[in-house]
Amino acid sequence: MIYNIAIDGPAGAGKSTIARRVAKELSFIYVDTGAMYRAMALYLLHKNVDRTNTEQIGEVCQNAEISIEYQNGEQIVLLNGENVNAYLRTEEVGNMASVSSAVPRVRKKLLSLQRKLAKDMSVVMDGRDIGTTILPDADVKIYLTASSLTRAKRRYLELQEKGTVCDLDNIQKDIEERDQRDMNREISPLRQAEDAVLVDSSDLTIEQVVDRILEIFRART
Ligand code: C5P
């Protein structure tokens, strides 16, 4: 049997940590769709596109081939054949991804790759429109959220651990701006699917959220 679990939610809600753990527990593949949008953004940054020029972004993205490989269970994103994982997790790339992912031609390029992965294997896929658009028939849909302050604090600690100097207010502002863009874009806006279970992780530990999702999955299958 092939099973699909969709986890959507805003930036910093803990989707990737949770999705990775759920996938490990169930021996499913974890698919990080944000990394695909980030790889596309990296390409657009390299090409110096004008971030306000939707048409140009739509044109230039046609030359970026994104594919996925798995090495020791880790997702590797290939951009025109090159492993770009090491360059994806910066604020610059994240912000560009949030801008360019609103462009229909960018989304179209990644939709078929994401659907194909879920058709071929049991996956836990996280993103913004997995439950609403990519996998409307997913076995379990989770909408994972947390307050913007909680999310900013988590991001702040993560950056501090890496030794990056940062400011909590700025991070929170960035997160709120990104939420606004993701929720208000015309194509595939971030929203909870009607049949998704809402999980607010503000006051829950990672283990508690993982257990809740596993419980939901087991009750349905
Ligand atoms: O989740 P992550 O922060 O890596 O995603 C980066 C950006 O890519 C998000 O802010 C969002 O705009 C976009 N994205 C999207 N659809 C997805 C995954 C990510 O639009 N399925």
Side-chain angles (χ1 to χ4, degrees):
M1 278 292 278
I2 286 181
Y3 294 109
N4 290 168
I5 298 180
I7 303 184
D8 291 299
K15 294 188 303 291
S16 57
T17 309
I18 306 274
R20 188 174 278 116
R21 297 228 187 156
V22 171
K24 194 158 180 239
E25 285 292 325
L26 297 170
S27 301
F28 290 4
I29 296 286
Y30 164 51
V31 182
D32 173 0
T33 62
M36 301 174 190
Y37 284 97
R38 284 170 182 265
M40 189 61 94
L42 183 70
Y43 182 77
L44 296 167
L45 285 168
H46 281 164
K47 294 289 166 192
N48 279 319
V49 296
D50 169 2
R51 39 192 288 151
T52 62
N53 188 336
T54 306
E55 205 160 307
Q56 190 192 25
I57 292 176
E59 280 295 317
V60 174
C61 84
Q62 298 307 311
N63 302 321
E65 245 3 282
I66 311 274
S67 57
I68 295 295
E69 248 178 39
Y70 287 90
Q71 286 175 16
N72 305 320
E74 269 304 298
Q75 171 180 295
I76 308 286
V77 184
L78 303 172
L79 169 61
N80 293 333
E82 189 200 339
N83 175 352
V84 290
N85 272 30
Y87 313 109
L88 301 181
R89 309 245 41 107
T90 66
E91 297 301 295
E92 189 193 17
V93 170
N95 286 332
M96 184 61 178
S98 153
V99 171
S100 53
S101 64
V103 177
R105 288 173 84 182
V106 169
R107 301 205 75 82
K108 191 158 176 253
K109 271 200 87 121
L110 297 176
L111 176 137
S112 48
L113 169 63
Q114 293 165 7
R115 283 206 180 137
K116 183 165 187 330
L117 289 166
K119 190 165 171 277
D120 295 344
M121 327 178 267
S122 287
V123 296
V124 180
M125 187 177 288
D126 79 0
R128 302 294 188 286
D129 63 337
I130 311 305
T132 52
T133 306
I134 306 294
L135 306 176
D137 297 326
D139 301 282
V140 172
K141 296 181 187 177
I142 304 291
Y143 189 80
L144 184 65
T145 189
S147 70
S148 66
L149 181 61
T150 305
R151 292 184 281 131
K153 280 184 183 158
R154 288 177 185 158
R155 184 76 189 128
Y156 178 79
L157 289 176
E158 220 175 83
L159 288 170
Q160 271 204 328
E161 261 170 39
K162 284 192 208 153
T164 312
V165 181
C166 53
D167 174 80
L168 182 62
D169 284 346
N170 278 342
I171 296 177
Q172 188 175 359
K173 203 171 119 262
D174 241 35
I175 282 187
E176 284 170 356
E177 268 174 28
R178 188 133 34 119
D179 287 356
Q180 283 310 312
R181 267 201 302 268
D182 289 351
M183 288 172 175
N184 294 311
R185 66 185 175 212
E186 246 167 71
I187 179 167
S188 284
L190 168 64
R191 61 178 176 78
Q192 185 181 341
E194 267 174 30
D195 49 352
V197 178
L198 174 69
V199 179
D200 186 325
S201 72
S202 302
D203 299 313
L204 298 176
T205 63
I206 291 169
E207 281 68 32
Q208 285 171 322
V209 178
V210 169
D211 286 348
R212 174 119 177 53
I213 297 175
L214 289 173
E215 243 170 58
I216 296 168
F217 175 74
R218 290 188 176 124
R220 297 220 179 147
T221 53

